[in-house]
Amino acid sequence: MPSLTLDKTDLRILAELQLDGRLTNVELAERVALSPSPCLRRLKQLEESGVIRQYVALLDPAHIGLGLQAWVRVTLEKRGNMHLQSFIDAVQNWPEVINCFAMTGEMDYLLQVYFEDMEHFSRFVMDELLQHPGVEDVKSSFVLKEIKRTTALPLGQMRGM
């Protein structure tokens, strides 16, 4: 991946877009004190370089009937890697899993999952997760209250670049 040097204006563009990805180019240009043409050029460069990966609509889980959020820690059998790819493939097909991370430490994978209710969670664990070959242990924690949620990545480390 080619390295792109980001200046203060690029960082302002990124910060504004992380707050509102639906800004028009004119609105974005005004917020970062550029004229629209140079702003659009910079934006295209950020997109083409991969700094901006994609644009999405973020849904409120509660408004679409997903009132139960959990973090599920999964440990796989340690005998060989024969179930590893099968598990990774299965995770891709489970719509309840919105994030999956390979981890160090006591677990192999950490899943962020959403469900309608405890019954939905129970069906997922019993009928999908624990039925998957190679799954040795599953531990879950439920979100009681969301304290902070953001998709905005910190940009402060980029100031010196």
Side-chain angles (χ1 to χ4, degrees):
M1 187 161 48
S3 178
L4 180 68
T5 302
L6 303 177
D7 64 15
K8 287 191 288 188
T9 303
D10 293 322
L11 295 175
R12 287 198 318 259
I13 289 171
L14 294 173
E16 290 296 334
L17 286 175
Q18 285 192 113
L19 293 174
D20 185 355
R22 293 187 67 175
L23 289 172
T24 66
N25 184 55
V26 171
E27 292 168 329
L28 181 59
E30 287 175 8
R31 290 186 186 192
V32 299
L34 280 178
S35 60
S37 290
C39 184
L40 186 58
R41 271 193 303 277
R42 285 174 177 262
L43 181 58
K44 292 297 180 198
Q45 186 179 30
L46 291 166
E47 292 169 348
E48 290 168 3
S49 70
V51 172
I52 296 176
R53 190 168 57 190
Q54 71 186 76
Y55 298 92
V56 299
L58 300 175
L59 308 180
D60 185 325
H63 282 88
I64 59 169
L66 297 172
L68 183 64
Q69 179 183 177
W71 292 87
V72 179
R73 297 171 299 285
V74 178
T75 304
L76 298 181
E77 291 177 355
K78 299 299 185 238
R79 291 175 268 144
N81 286 332
M82 63 188 259
H83 298 296
L84 179 61
Q85 190 58 49
S86 174
F87 179 78
I88 291 170
D89 292 342
V91 165
Q92 301 299 325
N93 293 313
W94 292 330
E96 296 88 351
V97 178
I98 65 161
N99 285 303
C100 175
F101 307 96
M103 304 295 289
T104 62
E106 296 179 7
M107 72 188 100
D108 295 313
Y109 293 94
L110 179 63
L111 311 178
Q112 182 183 13
V113 290
Y114 278 91
F115 302 97
E116 295 168 47
D117 51 29
M118 187 58 79
E119 184 179 323
H120 183 188
F121 170 78
S122 179
R123 279 193 319 271
F124 173 77
V125 170
M126 302 299 282
D127 299 343
E128 299 288 345
L129 202 49
L130 290 175
Q131 295 304 313
H132 191 278
V135 171
E136 185 174 276
D137 190 32
V138 172
K139 292 183 172 65
S140 304
S141 296
F142 296 97
V143 174
L144 298 176
K145 181 179 182 181
E146 204 168 81
I147 307 301
K148 178 181 179 179
R149 173 184 290 264
T150 182
T151 59
L153 295 174
L155 298 173
Q157 78 286 356
M158 303 293 295
R159 302 259 185 252
M161 298 180 127

